[in-house]
Amino acid sequence: MTATILIADDDAVQRRLVENMVRRCGYETMVVESGDAAVAVMTASDGPVVDALVLDLVMPGLDGMGVLAEIREAGLAIPVIVQTAHGGIDNVVSAMRAGAHDFVVKPVGIERLQVSLRNALNASALKNELQRVRHSREGRLTFADIITRSETMANVMKAAKKAAGSSIPVLIEGESGVGKELFARAIHGTSDRSAKPFVAVNCGAIPDNLVESILFGHEKGSFTGATERHTGKFVEASGGTLFLDEVSELPLAAQVKLLRALQEGAVEAVGGRKPVKVDVRIISATNRRLLDRVKAGQFREDLFYRLHVLPLTIPPLRMRRDDIPNLLRHFLARFCAEEHRTINGISGEAMAGLSQLNWPGNIRQLENAVYRAVVMSEGPHLGLSDFPSTGLQPATDIHPDTYAEAGEPLIMEPVSPRTASNVVNGNDIPLAPTPDPGSLPLFTQDGEVRPLEELEADIIRFAISHYRGQMSEVARRLKIGRSTLYRKLDDIAAKNGIVAEEEQ
C-alpha cells in the first residue's frame, strides 16, 4: 500500500505545490492548514496511518516547533521533514534537536523532496523493524508492531484490540507462518498483564508422556527421571499469559487435565498432593480447523468450547497482498542492518513477481526469501535472480503498470521514457542538477513545440530555485509583479493537481 504523507502549511499556494510534488513522487497525501490540525490527525485513534510529515515551521497558532514538541510528548515515531523560507542555521539546529529528520528551504524542488521522503521512510522502516525485534525479545510487543495495512486484516485487528482489554480466552486460527504468536504477544503486550510473564508452549513438540509434567509440573521422585521438582508452565505464567501453540496436537489424556485446570483455575502437579491456584490468561493457536478435529473425535468438544470463546482467524498472505510491499521494506531494512549490507532496493520486475506469488509459507516464507536474497546478492539492487527459491523468472509480458503498483516504496531503477508518465514513482525520480535557462527543452519527444504555458512554468521554477525562494528578486528578474507571480504559481499548482487526479 502506498505511503501516506501529511502536509501542514498555512500558505495555500505552498500547500498545493508540495501536495502535487508528493503525488508525483507516487505517495498518497493529506493536507492540513495548521499545526493543531496536524497533531489532531496524527494522534487520532481511528484516523488514517501517517507515514511521514512535511511541516512548515512558521505558522499561526501552533507553529512547527510546537508540533515537533507535541509529537515527542505523544511518543510518535513519525519522521518529519520541516520546511521554511528562513533557512538560517539556528532554525536548522533547533528543528533537528527537536526531532526533525530533515530540513528543506522553500520552495523545495521535487528531486530534493523525493530524496528526503525516501530517506525518511527507509529510516523509519529500519527503526520500526529493529524496535519490533527488540520488543519481541523483551516480551513487549503491541499492535503497533504488527505490519499491516490490509483491509482484510482490519476486523481481525479490531477484535484482537478489544480482546486485549479483558481476560477472555482467545483461539487464533490460521495457516503456518501467518503470525499467530505475534498476535498473541501483541494481545499480551497491550493488556494489563503486560508486566507479567508471557509463556509460550508448542504443544506439538512435546512427547506425549511429558505433556502433563511440562504443563502442570511434577514433584521430585514422582516418576523415573524426576530428580528434582518442576513447577510447570501454568505456574510460570501465573499472573500473565500462557500461549498454547498448536493446541490441536495435545493428546486426549492431557486435554482432560487441561479442561479441569481451566474450569477450576488450579493445577495439580504430577505426584502432587494438593492443587495450586493459578491466575492465567489462555491464548491458544492452531494451524488446523479445530472444529473439524472435534468432529473427527481427535479433540474434546467441551475443551473446544472453553478455548473457542473469542476466535480470531488470520488470513494468509495471498489474501492480503497489499501488505507485501510494506513487509518487504521492513525485512530488507532489518536484514541489511544485521548483515551490514548496503542494498538500495528491489527492482520493479521482482516486486511485481513477489506480489503475485501465493506464498504457501506466508510471512515466514517471505521473510526467509528476503534474508537469503540479502546474504547472497552481489549488487546494490535485488532482482528476480536473487529470489531463486520462489521460482520467479524474468518475464517480458508483465505490464509496466504492475511494477508501479507492486514496487512503490522499493523500486530504485529509473523509469523507461516509453512508459514514464506524469505520476512518477517515489524512488524512480532521477537526481539531476538544475538546468541552465538555455537548456530548457523547447520541443516534445515527437518534435513538436512545447506549449507556452509549460515553458513559462519551467522558467518560473528555475528562477525560484536559482534565487533560493527570494520571491521579490524572482519577480524583479522576471519583470512581473509579486501578485502576478503568485497568481501564476497558483495556476501552475491547480493545473498539476488536475493532471495528478486524472491519472490516479
Side-chain angles (χ1 to χ4, degrees), residues 215-217 231-235 242 257-258 260-262 264-270 272 274-278 280:
L215 289 180
F216 311 114
T231 58
K233 299 299 182 181
F234 266 86
V235 176
L242 179 63
K257 198 163 185 179
L258 175 59
R260 184 175 181 85
L262 296 179
E264 299 182 358
V267 295
E268 186 172 340
V270 177
K274 60 180 181 179
V276 178
K277 286 287 184 182
V278 291
V280 175

mmCIF file with all atom_site columns, all heavy atoms in Angstrom, residues 215-217 231-235 242 257-258 260-262 264-270 272 274-278 280:
data_model
loop_
_atom_site.group_PDB
_atom_site.id
_atom_site.type_symbol
_atom_site.label_atom_id
_atom_site.label_alt_id
_atom_site.label_comp_id
_atom_site.label_asym_id
_atom_site.label_entity_id
_atom_site.label_seq_id
_atom_site.pdbx_PDB_ins_code
_atom_site.Cartn_x
_atom_site.Cartn_y
_atom_site.Cartn_z
_atom_site.occupancy
_atom_site.B_iso_or_equiv
_atom_site.pdbx_formal_charge
_atom_site.auth_seq_id
_atom_site.auth_comp_id
_atom_site.auth_asym_id
_atom_site.auth_atom_id
_atom_site.pdbx_PDB_model_num
ATOM 1   N N   . LEU A 1 215 ? 3.318   -29.021 31.403 1.00 0.00 ? 215 LEU A N   1
ATOM 2   C CA  . LEU A 1 215 ? 2.248   -28.045 31.615 1.00 0.00 ? 215 LEU A CA  1
ATOM 3   C C   . LEU A 1 215 ? 1.954   -27.812 33.086 1.00 0.00 ? 215 LEU A C   1
ATOM 4   O O   . LEU A 1 215 ? 1.805   -26.657 33.523 1.00 0.00 ? 215 LEU A O   1
ATOM 5   C CB  . LEU A 1 215 ? 0.973   -28.500 30.899 1.00 0.00 ? 215 LEU A CB  1
ATOM 6   C CG  . LEU A 1 215 ? 0.966   -28.442 29.368 1.00 0.00 ? 215 LEU A CG  1
ATOM 7   C CD1 . LEU A 1 215 ? -0.374  -28.932 28.839 1.00 0.00 ? 215 LEU A CD1 1
ATOM 8   C CD2 . LEU A 1 215 ? 1.235   -27.025 28.874 1.00 0.00 ? 215 LEU A CD2 1
ATOM 9   N N   . PHE A 1 216 ? 1.863   -28.877 33.863 1.00 0.00 ? 216 PHE A N   1
ATOM 10  C CA  . PHE A 1 216 ? 1.396   -28.748 35.242 1.00 0.00 ? 216 PHE A CA  1
ATOM 11  C C   . PHE A 1 216 ? 2.477   -28.959 36.293 1.00 0.00 ? 216 PHE A C   1
ATOM 12  O O   . PHE A 1 216 ? 2.246   -28.713 37.479 1.00 0.00 ? 216 PHE A O   1
ATOM 13  C CB  . PHE A 1 216 ? 0.248   -29.755 35.477 1.00 0.00 ? 216 PHE A CB  1
ATOM 14  C CG  . PHE A 1 216 ? -0.809  -29.702 34.410 1.00 0.00 ? 216 PHE A CG  1
ATOM 15  C CD1 . PHE A 1 216 ? -1.019  -30.784 33.560 1.00 0.00 ? 216 PHE A CD1 1
ATOM 16  C CD2 . PHE A 1 216 ? -1.576  -28.560 34.221 1.00 0.00 ? 216 PHE A CD2 1
ATOM 17  C CE1 . PHE A 1 216 ? -1.971  -30.735 32.571 1.00 0.00 ? 216 PHE A CE1 1
ATOM 18  C CE2 . PHE A 1 216 ? -2.538  -28.504 33.231 1.00 0.00 ? 216 PHE A CE2 1
ATOM 19  C CZ  . PHE A 1 216 ? -2.735  -29.590 32.400 1.00 0.00 ? 216 PHE A CZ  1
ATOM 20  N N   . GLY A 1 217 ? 3.661   -29.432 35.873 1.00 0.00 ? 217 GLY A N   1
ATOM 21  C CA  . GLY A 1 217 ? 4.749   -29.638 36.817 1.00 0.00 ? 217 GLY A CA  1
ATOM 22  C C   . GLY A 1 217 ? 4.756   -31.028 37.417 1.00 0.00 ? 217 GLY A C   1
ATOM 23  O O   . GLY A 1 217 ? 3.823   -31.816 37.227 1.00 0.00 ? 217 GLY A O   1
ATOM 24  N N   . THR A 1 231 ? 8.029   -26.770 38.376 1.00 0.00 ? 231 THR A N   1
ATOM 25  C CA  . THR A 1 231 ? 6.783   -26.042 38.656 1.00 0.00 ? 231 THR A CA  1
ATOM 26  C C   . THR A 1 231 ? 5.771   -26.152 37.528 1.00 0.00 ? 231 THR A C   1
ATOM 27  O O   . THR A 1 231 ? 4.559   -26.129 37.772 1.00 0.00 ? 231 THR A O   1
ATOM 28  C CB  . THR A 1 231 ? 7.076   -24.556 38.912 1.00 0.00 ? 231 THR A CB  1
ATOM 29  O OG1 . THR A 1 231 ? 7.742   -24.008 37.770 1.00 0.00 ? 231 THR A OG1 1
ATOM 30  C CG2 . THR A 1 231 ? 7.939   -24.385 40.141 1.00 0.00 ? 231 THR A CG2 1
ATOM 31  N N   . GLY A 1 232 ? 6.200   -26.247 36.283 1.00 0.00 ? 232 GLY A N   1
ATOM 32  C CA  . GLY A 1 232 ? 5.256   -26.328 35.178 1.00 0.00 ? 232 GLY A CA  1
ATOM 33  C C   . GLY A 1 232 ? 4.943   -24.961 34.575 1.00 0.00 ? 232 GLY A C   1
ATOM 34  O O   . GLY A 1 232 ? 5.118   -23.916 35.207 1.00 0.00 ? 232 GLY A O   1
ATOM 35  N N   . LYS A 1 233 ? 4.477   -24.988 33.321 1.00 0.00 ? 233 LYS A N   1
ATOM 36  C CA  . LYS A 1 233 ? 4.234   -23.743 32.584 1.00 0.00 ? 233 LYS A CA  1
ATOM 37  C C   . LYS A 1 233 ? 3.075   -22.932 33.156 1.00 0.00 ? 233 LYS A C   1
ATOM 38  O O   . LYS A 1 233 ? 3.089   -21.698 33.095 1.00 0.00 ? 233 LYS A O   1
ATOM 39  C CB  . LYS A 1 233 ? 3.954   -24.066 31.109 1.00 0.00 ? 233 LYS A CB  1
ATOM 40  C CG  . LYS A 1 233 ? 5.115   -24.764 30.397 1.00 0.00 ? 233 LYS A CG  1
ATOM 41  C CD  . LYS A 1 233 ? 6.367   -23.884 30.391 1.00 0.00 ? 233 LYS A CD  1
ATOM 42  C CE  . LYS A 1 233 ? 7.497   -24.553 29.635 1.00 0.00 ? 233 LYS A CE  1
ATOM 43  N NZ  . LYS A 1 233 ? 8.745   -23.744 29.633 1.00 0.00 ? 233 LYS A NZ  1
ATOM 44  N N   . PHE A 1 234 ? 2.053   -23.584 33.682 1.00 0.00 ? 234 PHE A N   1
ATOM 45  C CA  . PHE A 1 234 ? 0.926   -22.842 34.262 1.00 0.00 ? 234 PHE A CA  1
ATOM 46  C C   . PHE A 1 234 ? 1.393   -21.983 35.425 1.00 0.00 ? 234 PHE A C   1
ATOM 47  O O   . PHE A 1 234 ? 1.018   -20.801 35.535 1.00 0.00 ? 234 PHE A O   1
ATOM 48  C CB  . PHE A 1 234 ? -0.174  -23.809 34.718 1.00 0.00 ? 234 PHE A CB  1
ATOM 49  C CG  . PHE A 1 234 ? -1.238  -24.038 33.688 1.00 0.00 ? 234 PHE A CG  1
ATOM 50  C CD1 . PHE A 1 234 ? -1.079  -25.011 32.712 1.00 0.00 ? 234 PHE A CD1 1
ATOM 51  C CD2 . PHE A 1 234 ? -2.395  -23.294 33.697 1.00 0.00 ? 234 PHE A CD2 1
ATOM 52  C CE1 . PHE A 1 234 ? -2.052  -25.233 31.756 1.00 0.00 ? 234 PHE A CE1 1
ATOM 53  C CE2 . PHE A 1 234 ? -3.385  -23.498 32.744 1.00 0.00 ? 234 PHE A CE2 1
ATOM 54  C CZ  . PHE A 1 234 ? -3.214  -24.480 31.770 1.00 0.00 ? 234 PHE A CZ  1
ATOM 55  N N   . VAL A 1 235 ? 2.205   -22.542 36.294 1.00 0.00 ? 235 VAL A N   1
ATOM 56  C CA  . VAL A 1 235 ? 2.692   -21.786 37.455 1.00 0.00 ? 235 VAL A CA  1
ATOM 57  C C   . VAL A 1 235 ? 3.665   -20.702 36.996 1.00 0.00 ? 235 VAL A C   1
ATOM 58  O O   . VAL A 1 235 ? 3.657   -19.579 37.521 1.00 0.00 ? 235 VAL A O   1
ATOM 59  C CB  . VAL A 1 235 ? 3.360   -22.738 38.470 1.00 0.00 ? 235 VAL A CB  1
ATOM 60  C CG1 . VAL A 1 235 ? 3.956   -21.947 39.634 1.00 0.00 ? 235 VAL A CG1 1
ATOM 61  C CG2 . VAL A 1 235 ? 2.348   -23.756 38.994 1.00 0.00 ? 235 VAL A CG2 1
ATOM 62  N N   . LEU A 1 242 ? -0.509  -17.542 29.162 1.00 0.00 ? 242 LEU A N   1
ATOM 63  C CA  . LEU A 1 242 ? 0.014   -18.816 28.694 1.00 0.00 ? 242 LEU A CA  1
ATOM 64  C C   . LEU A 1 242 ? -0.458  -19.016 27.258 1.00 0.00 ? 242 LEU A C   1
ATOM 65  O O   . LEU A 1 242 ? -1.663  -19.055 26.987 1.00 0.00 ? 242 LEU A O   1
ATOM 66  C CB  . LEU A 1 242 ? -0.472  -19.965 29.578 1.00 0.00 ? 242 LEU A CB  1
ATOM 67  C CG  . LEU A 1 242 ? -0.004  -21.368 29.162 1.00 0.00 ? 242 LEU A CG  1
ATOM 68  C CD1 . LEU A 1 242 ? 1.508   -21.476 29.242 1.00 0.00 ? 242 LEU A CD1 1
ATOM 69  C CD2 . LEU A 1 242 ? -0.668  -22.437 30.038 1.00 0.00 ? 242 LEU A CD2 1
ATOM 70  N N   . LYS A 1 257 ? -7.079  -33.030 31.612 1.00 0.00 ? 257 LYS A N   1
ATOM 71  C CA  . LYS A 1 257 ? -6.490  -32.292 32.724 1.00 0.00 ? 257 LYS A CA  1
ATOM 72  C C   . LYS A 1 257 ? -6.439  -30.800 32.432 1.00 0.00 ? 257 LYS A C   1
ATOM 73  O O   . LYS A 1 257 ? -6.594  -29.973 33.341 1.00 0.00 ? 257 LYS A O   1
ATOM 74  C CB  . LYS A 1 257 ? -5.084  -32.824 33.010 1.00 0.00 ? 257 LYS A CB  1
ATOM 75  C CG  . LYS A 1 257 ? -4.571  -32.447 34.386 1.00 0.00 ? 257 LYS A CG  1
ATOM 76  C CD  . LYS A 1 257 ? -3.391  -33.290 34.800 1.00 0.00 ? 257 LYS A CD  1
ATOM 77  C CE  . LYS A 1 257 ? -2.996  -32.964 36.242 1.00 0.00 ? 257 LYS A CE  1
ATOM 78  N NZ  . LYS A 1 257 ? -1.847  -33.791 36.704 1.00 0.00 ? 257 LYS A NZ  1
ATOM 79  N N   . LEU A 1 258 ? -6.241  -30.445 31.154 1.00 0.00 ? 258 LEU A N   1
ATOM 80  C CA  . LEU A 1 258 ? -6.243  -29.025 30.788 1.00 0.00 ? 258 LEU A CA  1
ATOM 81  C C   . LEU A 1 258 ? -7.630  -28.429 31.005 1.00 0.00 ? 258 LEU A C   1
ATOM 82  O O   . LEU A 1 258 ? -7.755  -27.305 31.519 1.00 0.00 ? 258 LEU A O   1
ATOM 83  C CB  . LEU A 1 258 ? -5.826  -28.877 29.313 1.00 0.00 ? 258 LEU A CB  1
ATOM 84  C CG  . LEU A 1 258 ? -5.898  -27.460 28.739 1.00 0.00 ? 258 LEU A CG  1
ATOM 85  C CD1 . LEU A 1 258 ? -5.003  -26.497 29.512 1.00 0.00 ? 258 LEU A CD1 1
ATOM 86  C CD2 . LEU A 1 258 ? -5.525  -27.461 27.246 1.00 0.00 ? 258 LEU A CD2 1
ATOM 87  N N   . ARG A 1 260 ? -9.869  -29.356 33.182 1.00 0.00 ? 260 ARG A N   1
ATOM 88  C CA  . ARG A 1 260 ? -10.085 -29.212 34.625 1.00 0.00 ? 260 ARG A CA  1
ATOM 89  C C   . ARG A 1 260 ? -9.338  -27.997 35.171 1.00 0.00 ? 260 ARG A C   1
ATOM 90  O O   . ARG A 1 260 ? -9.853  -27.243 35.996 1.00 0.00 ? 260 ARG A O   1
ATOM 91  C CB  . ARG A 1 260 ? -9.616  -30.478 35.341 1.00 0.00 ? 260 ARG A CB  1
ATOM 92  C CG  . ARG A 1 260 ? -9.896  -30.473 36.840 1.00 0.00 ? 260 ARG A CG  1
ATOM 93  C CD  . ARG A 1 260 ? -9.514  -31.795 37.468 1.00 0.00 ? 260 ARG A CD  1
ATOM 94  N NE  . ARG A 1 260 ? -9.807  -31.813 38.890 1.00 0.00 ? 260 ARG A NE  1
ATOM 95  C CZ  . ARG A 1 260 ? -10.980 -32.119 39.402 1.00 0.00 ? 260 ARG A CZ  1
ATOM 96  N NH1 . ARG A 1 260 ? -11.988 -32.460 38.587 1.00 0.00 ? 260 ARG A NH1 1
ATOM 97  N NH2 . ARG A 1 260 ? -11.186 -32.135 40.710 1.00 0.00 ? 260 ARG A NH2 1
ATOM 98  N N   . ALA A 1 261 ? -8.112  -27.774 34.667 1.00 0.00 ? 261 ALA A N   1
ATOM 99  C CA  . ALA A 1 261 ? -7.339  -26.614 35.116 1.00 0.00 ? 261 ALA A CA  1
ATOM 100 C C   . ALA A 1 261 ? -8.027  -25.319 34.730 1.00 0.00 ? 261 ALA A C   1
ATOM 101 O O   . ALA A 1 261 ? -8.053  -24.351 35.503 1.00 0.00 ? 261 ALA A O   1
ATOM 102 C CB  . ALA A 1 261 ? -5.934  -26.672 34.528 1.00 0.00 ? 261 ALA A CB  1
ATOM 103 N N   . LEU A 1 262 ? -8.608  -25.272 33.533 1.00 0.00 ? 262 LEU A N   1
ATOM 104 C CA  . LEU A 1 262 ? -9.293  -24.059 33.087 1.00 0.00 ? 262 LEU A CA  1
ATOM 105 C C   . LEU A 1 262 ? -10.574 -23.826 33.879 1.00 0.00 ? 262 LEU A C   1
ATOM 106 O O   . LEU A 1 262 ? -10.927 -22.682 34.186 1.00 0.00 ? 262 LEU A O   1
ATOM 107 C CB  . LEU A 1 262 ? -9.616  -24.169 31.592 1.00 0.00 ? 262 LEU A CB  1
ATOM 108 C CG  . LEU A 1 262 ? -8.406  -24.257 30.642 1.00 0.00 ? 262 LEU A CG  1
ATOM 109 C CD1 . LEU A 1 262 ? -8.873  -24.377 29.198 1.00 0.00 ? 262 LEU A CD1 1
ATOM 110 C CD2 . LEU A 1 262 ? -7.513  -23.047 30.802 1.00 0.00 ? 262 LEU A CD2 1
ATOM 111 N N   . GLU A 1 264 ? -11.286 -24.846 37.042 1.00 0.00 ? 264 GLU A N   1
ATOM 112 C CA  . GLU A 1 264 ? -11.089 -24.610 38.474 1.00 0.00 ? 264 GLU A CA  1
ATOM 113 C C   . GLU A 1 264 ? -10.052 -23.534 38.763 1.00 0.00 ? 264 GLU A C   1
ATOM 114 O O   . GLU A 1 264 ? -9.921  -23.091 39.910 1.00 0.00 ? 264 GLU A O   1
ATOM 115 C CB  . GLU A 1 264 ? -10.682 -25.911 39.164 1.00 0.00 ? 264 GLU A CB  1
ATOM 116 C CG  . GLU A 1 264 ? -11.743 -27.004 39.045 1.00 0.00 ? 264 GLU A CG  1
ATOM 117 C CD  . GLU A 1 264 ? -11.342 -28.262 39.779 1.00 0.00 ? 264 GLU A CD  1
ATOM 118 O OE1 . GLU A 1 264 ? -10.215 -28.289 40.346 1.00 0.00 ? 264 GLU A OE1 1
ATOM 119 O OE2 . GLU A 1 264 ? -12.134 -29.228 39.787 1.00 0.00 ? 264 GLU A OE2 1
ATOM 120 N N   . GLY A 1 265 ? -9.278  -23.123 37.750 1.00 0.00 ? 265 GLY A N   1
ATOM 121 C CA  . GLY A 1 265 ? -8.240  -22.121 37.997 1.00 0.00 ? 265 GLY A CA  1
ATOM 122 C C   . GLY A 1 265 ? -7.147  -22.646 38.903 1.00 0.00 ? 265 GLY A C   1
ATOM 123 O O   . GLY A 1 265 ? -6.523  -21.871 39.643 1.00 0.00 ? 265 GLY A O   1
ATOM 124 N N   . ALA A 1 266 ? -6.891  -23.935 38.846 1.00 0.00 ? 266 ALA A N   1
ATOM 125 C CA  . ALA A 1 266 ? -5.860  -24.558 39.684 1.00 0.00 ? 266 ALA A CA  1
ATOM 126 C C   . ALA A 1 266 ? -5.269  -25.742 38.934 1.00 0.00 ? 266 ALA A C   1
ATOM 127 O O   . ALA A 1 266 ? -5.920  -26.363 38.088 1.00 0.00 ? 266 ALA A O   1
ATOM 128 C CB  . ALA A 1 266 ? -6.441  -25.016 41.021 1.00 0.00 ? 266 ALA A CB  1
ATOM 129 N N   . VAL A 1 267 ? -4.012  -26.039 39.221 1.00 0.00 ? 267 VAL A N   1
ATOM 130 C CA  . VAL A 1 267 ? -3.330  -27.163 38.587 1.00 0.00 ? 267 VAL A CA  1
ATOM 131 C C   . VAL A 1 267 ? -2.764  -28.065 39.672 1.00 0.00 ? 267 VAL A C   1
ATOM 132 O O   . VAL A 1 267 ? -2.422  -27.613 40.768 1.00 0.00 ? 267 VAL A O   1
ATOM 133 C CB  . VAL A 1 267 ? -2.196  -26.686 37.659 1.00 0.00 ? 267 VAL A CB  1
ATOM 134 C CG1 . VAL A 1 267 ? -2.753  -25.893 36.499 1.00 0.00 ? 267 VAL A CG1 1
ATOM 135 C CG2 . VAL A 1 267 ? -1.159  -25.865 38.405 1.00 0.00 ? 267 VAL A CG2 1
ATOM 136 N N   . GLU A 1 268 ? -2.684  -29.346 39.341 1.00 0.00 ? 268 GLU A N   1
ATOM 137 C CA  . GLU A 1 268 ? -2.122  -30.325 40.272 1.00 0.00 ? 268 GLU A CA  1
ATOM 138 C C   . GLU A 1 268 ? -0.933  -30.996 39.603 1.00 0.00 ? 268 GLU A C   1
ATOM 139 O O   . GLU A 1 268 ? -1.079  -31.621 38.550 1.00 0.00 ? 268 GLU A O   1
ATOM 140 C CB  . GLU A 1 268 ? -3.173  -31.361 40.660 1.00 0.00 ? 268 GLU A CB  1
ATOM 141 C CG  . GLU A 1 268 ? -2.689  -32.313 41.743 1.00 0.00 ? 268 GLU A CG  1
ATOM 142 C CD  . GLU A 1 268 ? -3.807  -33.212 42.246 1.00 0.00 ? 268 GLU A CD  1
ATOM 143 O OE1 . GLU A 1 268 ? -4.988  -32.857 42.058 1.00 0.00 ? 268 GLU A OE1 1
ATOM 144 O OE2 . GLU A 1 268 ? -3.480  -34.275 42.816 1.00 0.00 ? 268 GLU A OE2 1
ATOM 145 N N   . ALA A 1 269 ? 0.242   -30.833 40.189 1.00 0.00 ? 269 ALA A N   1
ATOM 146 C CA  . ALA A 1 269 ? 1.455   -31.384 39.607 1.00 0.00 ? 269 ALA A CA  1
ATOM 147 C C   . ALA A 1 269 ? 1.431   -32.911 39.669 1.00 0.00 ? 269 ALA A C   1
ATOM 148 O O   . ALA A 1 269 ? 0.744   -33.515 40.510 1.00 0.00 ? 269 ALA A O   1
ATOM 149 C CB  . ALA A 1 269 ? 2.682   -30.856 40.359 1.00 0.00 ? 269 ALA A CB  1
ATOM 150 N N   . VAL A 1 270 ? 2.186   -33.530 38.759 1.00 0.00 ? 270 VAL A N   1
ATOM 151 C CA  . VAL A 1 270 ? 2.306   -34.989 38.768 1.00 0.00 ? 270 VAL A CA  1
ATOM 152 C C   . VAL A 1 270 ? 2.990   -35.404 40.070 1.00 0.00 ? 270 VAL A C   1
ATOM 153 O O   . VAL A 1 270 ? 4.086   -34.946 40.384 1.00 0.00 ? 270 VAL A O   1
ATOM 154 C CB  . VAL A 1 270 ? 3.133   -35.468 37.561 1.00 0.00 ? 270 VAL A CB  1
ATOM 155 C CG1 . VAL A 1 270 ? 3.309   -36.987 37.613 1.00 0.00 ? 270 VAL A CG1 1
ATOM 156 C CG2 . VAL A 1 270 ? 2.472   -35.049 36.256 1.00 0.00 ? 270 VAL A CG2 1
ATOM 157 N N   . GLY A 1 272 ? 1.806   -34.602 42.931 1.00 0.00 ? 272 GLY A N   1
ATOM 158 C CA  . GLY A 1 272 ? 1.459   -33.625 43.953 1.00 0.00 ? 272 GLY A CA  1
ATOM 159 C C   . GLY A 1 272 ? 0.294   -34.073 44.816 1.00 0.00 ? 272 GLY A C   1
ATOM 160 O O   . GLY A 1 272 ? -0.507  -34.921 44.407 1.00 0.00 ? 272 GLY A O   1
ATOM 161 N N   . LYS A 1 274 ? -1.837  -31.653 46.529 1.00 0.00 ? 274 LYS A N   1
ATOM 162 C CA  . LYS A 1 274 ? -2.927  -30.683 46.511 1.00 0.00 ? 274 LYS A CA  1
ATOM 163 C C   . LYS A 1 274 ? -2.747  -29.730 45.333 1.00 0.00 ? 274 LYS A C   1
ATOM 164 O O   . LYS A 1 274 ? -1.629  -29.446 44.906 1.00 0.00 ? 274 LYS A O   1
ATOM 165 C CB  . LYS A 1 274 ? -2.979  -29.906 47.818 1.00 0.00 ? 274 LYS A CB  1
ATOM 166 C CG  . LYS A 1 274 ? -1.724  -29.109 48.139 1.00 0.00 ? 274 LYS A CG  1
ATOM 167 C CD  . LYS A 1 274 ? -1.878  -28.377 49.465 1.00 0.00 ? 274 LYS A CD  1
ATOM 168 C CE  . LYS A 1 274 ? -0.616  -27.546 49.779 1.00 0.00 ? 274 LYS A CE  1
ATOM 169 N NZ  . LYS A 1 274 ? -0.761  -26.804 51.042 1.00 0.00 ? 274 LYS A NZ  1
ATOM 170 N N   . PRO A 1 275 ? -3.876  -29.220 44.811 1.00 0.00 ? 275 PRO A N   1
ATOM 171 C CA  . PRO A 1 275 ? -3.798  -28.314 43.660 1.00 0.00 ? 275 PRO A CA  1
ATOM 172 C C   . PRO A 1 275 ? -3.229  -26.952 44.055 1.00 0.00 ? 275 PRO A C   1
ATOM 173 O O   . PRO A 1 275 ? -3.310  -26.545 45.208 1.00 0.00 ? 275 PRO A O   1
ATOM 174 C CB  . PRO A 1 275 ? -5.251  -28.202 43.186 1.00 0.00 ? 275 PRO A CB  1
ATOM 175 C CG  . PRO A 1 275 ? -6.071  -28.537 44.388 1.00 0.00 ? 275 PRO A CG  1
ATOM 176 C CD  . PRO A 1 275 ? -5.276  -29.516 45.189 1.00 0.00 ? 275 PRO A CD  1
ATOM 177 N N   . VAL A 1 276 ? -2.669  -26.273 43.065 1.00 0.00 ? 276 VAL A N   1
ATOM 178 C CA  . VAL A 1 276 ? -2.090  -24.942 43.264 1.00 0.00 ? 276 VAL A CA  1
ATOM 179 C C   . VAL A 1 276 ? -2.900  -23.941 42.440 1.00 0.00 ? 276 VAL A C   1
ATOM 180 O O   . VAL A 1 276 ? -3.101  -24.120 41.239 1.00 0.00 ? 276 VAL A O   1
ATOM 181 C CB  . VAL A 1 276 ? -0.607  -24.911 42.821 1.00 0.00 ? 276 VAL A CB  1
ATOM 182 C CG1 . VAL A 1 276 ? -0.030  -23.509 42.985 1.00 0.00 ? 276 VAL A CG1 1
ATOM 183 C CG2 . VAL A 1 276 ? 0.196   -25.926 43.612 1.00 0.00 ? 276 VAL A CG2 1
ATOM 184 N N   . LYS A 1 277 ? -3.401  -22.891 43.094 1.00 0.00 ? 277 LYS A N   1
ATOM 185 C CA  . LYS A 1 277 ? -4.175  -21.872 42.405 1.00 0.00 ? 277 LYS A CA  1
ATOM 186 C C   . LYS A 1 277 ? -3.274  -21.073 41.458 1.00 0.00 ? 277 LYS A C   1
ATOM 187 O O   . LYS A 1 277 ? -2.167  -20.682 41.801 1.00 0.00 ? 277 LYS A O   1
ATOM 188 C CB  . LYS A 1 277 ? -4.815  -20.922 43.414 1.00 0.00 ? 277 LYS A CB  1
ATOM 189 C CG  . LYS A 1 277 ? -6.004  -21.506 44.171 1.00 0.00 ? 277 LYS A CG  1
ATOM 190 C CD  . LYS A 1 277 ? -7.210  -21.608 43.234 1.00 0.00 ? 277 LYS A CD  1
ATOM 191 C CE  . LYS A 1 277 ? -8.442  -22.093 44.004 1.00 0.00 ? 277 LYS A CE  1
ATOM 192 N NZ  . LYS A 1 277 ? -9.613  -22.235 43.079 1.00 0.00 ? 277 LYS A NZ  1
ATOM 193 N N   . VAL A 1 278 ? -3.800  -20.819 40.250 1.00 0.00 ? 278 VAL A N   1
ATOM 194 C CA  . VAL A 1 278 ? -3.056  -20.021 39.269 1.00 0.00 ? 278 VAL A CA  1
ATOM 195 C C   . VAL A 1 278 ? -4.016  -19.011 38.635 1.00 0.00 ? 278 VAL A C   1
ATOM 196 O O   . VAL A 1 278 ? -5.210  -19.271 38.482 1.00 0.00 ? 278 VAL A O   1
ATOM 197 C CB  . VAL A 1 278 ? -2.423  -20.904 38.164 1.00 0.00 ? 278 VAL A CB  1
ATOM 198 C CG1 . VAL A 1 278 ? -1.297  -21.743 38.722 1.00 0.00 ? 278 VAL A CG1 1
ATOM 199 C CG2 . VAL A 1 278 ? -3.474  -21.784 37.492 1.00 0.00 ? 278 VAL A CG2 1
ATOM 200 N N   . VAL A 1 280 ? -4.123  -17.336 35.220 1.00 0.00 ? 280 VAL A N   1
ATOM 201 C CA  . VAL A 1 280 ? -3.505  -17.375 33.898 1.00 0.00 ? 280 VAL A CA  1
ATOM 202 C C   . VAL A 1 280 ? -4.529  -17.011 32.828 1.00 0.00 ? 280 VAL A C   1
ATOM 203 O O   . VAL A 1 280 ? -5.660  -17.493 32.863 1.00 0.00 ? 280 VAL A O   1
ATOM 204 C CB  . VAL A 1 280 ? -2.917  -18.778 33.604 1.00 0.00 ? 280 VAL A CB  1
ATOM 205 C CG1 . VAL A 1 280 ? -2.380  -18.849 32.176 1.00 0.00 ? 280 VAL A CG1 1
ATOM 206 C CG2 . VAL A 1 280 ? -1.803  -19.101 34.585 1.00 0.00 ? 280 VAL A CG2 1
#
